[in-house]
Amino acid sequence: MRAYVRVLKQNRLKITPRRKAVIGIFMKCGLNLSPYDVYAKLKKKLPKLGLPTVYRILAELKDSGILVQSLSDDRLLRYALCTLPHQHHHHFTCRKCNRMEEVDFCTFKAVSRFIENRLNAKVETHQLQIGGLCSKCK
Amino acid sequence: MRAYVRVLKQNRLKITPRRKAVIGIFMKCGLNLSPYDVYAKLKKKLPKLGLPTVYRILAELKDSGILVQSLSDDRLLRYALCTLPHQHHHHFTCRKCNRMEEVDFCTFKAVSRFIENRLNAKVETHQLQIGGLCSKCK
DNA sequence: TCGCAAATAGAAATGATTTCTATTTATACC
DNA sequence: GGTATAAATAGAAATCATTTCTATTTGCGA
């Protein structure tokens, strides 16, 4: 949490109970969560919390690099803690428990070369979504 | 178009002017399109066309394997023609003109082995989104 | 050609996300 | 520690993509 507070300060964001609570939920869960998931988990402790506040905080934390946004089949907003913020990596998501784990191994260079040759295109970005069952759910 | 009509019949879908028009738009464009994109392109020729009809037809064509659904950063529904329906492949999307091209080359096996060893997880699915500039937009 | 199930239009509902405004709060400065 | 101020928040309301519903129309098998 100490490190995240530092990042908030670097980004000129005030250290509010809401922001710390949102980060805390992600630290505790290790899952990728929708805004409503976060809202529901915090509602007991913070009964006056509003859903728009959750949306805004999640966007700020993403802009600060604390969270990453993940694309999912349901096309809802989803976020997860990012512990490798400055390193290229991908994410594995468990389809059962929604746990998200980082994968710092990538073979995309060969694909990129293939595309640039075959299609005569310029490859700039790639995102890989990996799904399956985590060690606990297997 | 002949081939697509056959697929519609195989799936017990009637050959209606709307369905043929939707397929025609994708054949002409080679882009990935949102339901509203399709609606806007057809509205001149078919002034009585309704947006819910477009949504339904797109879902049917996807279920028949004629279209693929693609995840995009804006989290809107997007579809594109799929010309390799029974073969594992990925898609390259141009960020400028939105053209979508198929890439039948994949190096995911190594990543999958890495994850199964490192995380002790079972990998079931993967989706790769590749962005950049196509040959025309470069 | 005819009858019927499938397809469609148009209106309305749904539900995630964003915007707006008045109030509260963290913090820089004394 | 107190205070001023800009940032943060709650709650209501708006927005907008998508889906549902119902009455009408249409493709196509018999």
Side-chain angles (χ1 to χ4, degrees):
Chain A
M1 178 62 83
R2 193 67 59 85
Y4 295 125
V5 168
R6 188 174 338 113
V7 176
L8 289 180
K9 283 183 181 165
Q10 284 166 0
N11 286 272
R12 290 170 180 67
L13 295 171
K14 293 181 177 172
I15 315 304
T16 68
R18 315 258 117 140
R19 286 184 179 137
K20 289 206 285 188
V22 169
I23 294 171
I25 285 293
F26 280 98
M27 288 173 67
K28 198 170 73 181
C29 294
L31 308 178
N32 75 49
L33 300 171
S34 69
Y36 190 86
D37 290 339
V38 174
Y39 174 77
K41 282 175 188 295
L42 289 176
K43 198 61 183 174
K44 303 154 201 164
K45 291 272 174 101
L46 301 167
K48 293 180 64 187
L49 177 68
L51 197 44
T53 300
V54 174
Y55 274 86
R56 193 177 25 71
I57 290 177
L58 291 172
E60 292 160 350
L61 296 181
K62 175 195 158 196
D63 291 341
S64 306
I66 293 173
L67 298 180
V68 284
Q69 195 178 329
S70 65
L71 295 176
S72 63
D73 292 337
D74 58 15
R75 286 175 298 114
L76 303 187
L77 277 174
R78 286 190 173 278
Y79 297 90
L81 265 193
C82 182
T83 64
L84 304 169
H86 302 303
Q87 190 184 337
H88 177 71
H89 65 281
H90 296 289
H91 292 94
F92 170 84
T93 307
C94 178
R95 72 166 151 82
K96 200 162 172 185
C97 74
N98 229 18
R99 177 169 302 279
M100 206 160 167
E101 301 186 79
E102 279 152 328
V103 178
D104 64 340
F105 179 71
C106 181
T107 60
F108 187 69
K109 262 191 195 139
V111 178
S112 181
R113 274 198 300 272
F114 177 87
I115 293 171
E116 303 212 339
N117 290 334
R118 172 78 73 91
L119 303 180
N120 189 30
K122 173 150 183 44
V123 174
E124 293 175 333
T125 63
H126 72 284
Q127 269 192 70
L128 181 61
Q129 286 138 252
I130 310 164
L133 290 171
C134 72
S135 57
K136 284 177 194 151
C137 293
K138 241 188 353 182
Chain B
M1 177 61 83
R2 194 67 59 85
Y4 296 124
V5 168
R6 189 175 337 114
V7 176
L8 289 180
K9 282 182 180 167
Q10 283 166 1
N11 286 273
R12 289 170 181 64
L13 295 172
K14 293 182 178 174
I15 316 305
T16 68
R18 315 260 115 137
R19 286 187 179 135
K20 288 206 285 189
V22 169
I23 294 172
I25 286 292
F26 279 98
M27 288 173 67
K28 197 169 75 181
C29 295
L31 308 177
N32 75 50
L33 300 171
S34 70
Y36 191 85
D37 291 339
V38 173
Y39 174 77
K41 282 176 188 292
L42 289 176
K43 198 63 182 173
K44 304 155 200 161
K45 291 271 175 100
L46 301 167
K48 293 180 63 185
L49 177 68
L51 196 46
T53 299
V54 174
Y55 273 86
R56 192 176 26 71
I57 290 177
L58 292 172
E60 291 160 349
L61 296 180
K62 176 196 159 199
D63 291 342
S64 305
I66 293 174
L67 299 180
V68 284
Q69 195 179 328
S70 64
L71 294 176
S72 62
D73 292 337
D74 57 15
R75 286 175 297 114
L76 303 187
L77 277 173
R78 288 191 173 276
Y79 297 90
L81 266 191
C82 181
T83 64
L84 303 170
H86 302 304
Q87 191 183 335
H88 177 72
H89 65 282
H90 296 290
H91 293 94
F92 170 84
T93 306
C94 178
R95 70 166 152 81
K96 201 162 172 186
C97 74
N98 227 16
R99 178 168 300 279
M100 205 161 167
E101 301 186 79
E102 279 152 328
V103 178
D104 63 340
F105 179 72
C106 180
T107 61
F108 186 70
K109 263 192 194 135
V111 178
S112 181
R113 272 198 302 272
F114 177 88
I115 293 172
E116 303 213 337
N117 290 334
R118 171 78 72 91
L119 302 180
N120 189 30
K122 172 150 184 44
V123 174
E124 295 175 333
T125 64
H126 72 283
Q127 270 192 71
L128 180 61
Q129 285 139 252
I130 310 164
L133 290 171
C134 74
S135 56
K136 284 176 193 154
C137 294
K138 247 193 339 189

